[in-house]
Amino acid sequence: MRKQSAFLLAESTEMNARYTEMRKQYAFLLAEYTEMRKHLSILRKQYAFLLAKSTKMRKHLSILRKQYAFLLAKSTKMRKQYAHPTKL
């Protein structure tokens, strides 16, 4: 009976040690998870900001392309007029 009691005590001590280690690991993983969620939140905000900026830049690019096409057409017309001044 004493051997069995000693064995059970040793086993209980070992289980307590493992439990303590697992609690430490859990606390570490929880802290790591919380940190990752914080970074994910920051990345989402950055993505939203960059998406809005990209959309704005695409709109400006569209306007610039239209202006360029207009100026190119105007320039071509003017060159034709100066090349053939009788065709006014």
Side-chain angles (χ1 to χ4, degrees):
M1 187 76 165
R2 280 190 162 169
K3 287 183 182 180
Q4 189 178 10
S5 180
F7 174 75
L8 290 175
L9 180 61
E11 196 170 276
S12 174
T13 303
E14 180 66 25
M15 287 177 65
N16 283 339
R18 287 183 186 172
Y19 177 72
T20 301
E21 184 62 31
M22 288 177 69
R23 283 180 56 199
K24 289 177 185 176
Q25 288 176 347
Y26 175 76
F28 172 76
L29 291 174
L30 183 60
E32 198 170 77
Y33 173 72
T34 303
E35 190 66 25
M36 288 175 66
R37 284 181 53 207
K38 192 187 303 181
H39 285 292
L40 182 59
S41 175
I42 291 168
L43 288 173
R44 282 185 179 142
K45 289 174 185 172
Q46 288 176 338
Y47 176 77
F49 172 78
L50 290 174
L51 183 60
K53 193 171 187 175
S54 171
T55 302
K56 188 175 181 180
M57 288 176 68
R58 285 175 54 209
K59 186 187 281 186
H60 285 297
L61 182 60
S62 175
I63 292 168
L64 288 173
R65 281 185 179 145
K66 289 174 185 171
Q67 289 175 340
Y68 175 76
F70 172 77
L71 291 174
L72 184 62
K74 191 172 184 178
S75 170
T76 302
K77 184 178 179 182
M78 288 178 69
R79 282 193 314 201
K80 284 182 182 179
Q81 285 179 350
Y82 287 120
H84 305 288
T86 56
K87 294 184 178 180
L88 292 176

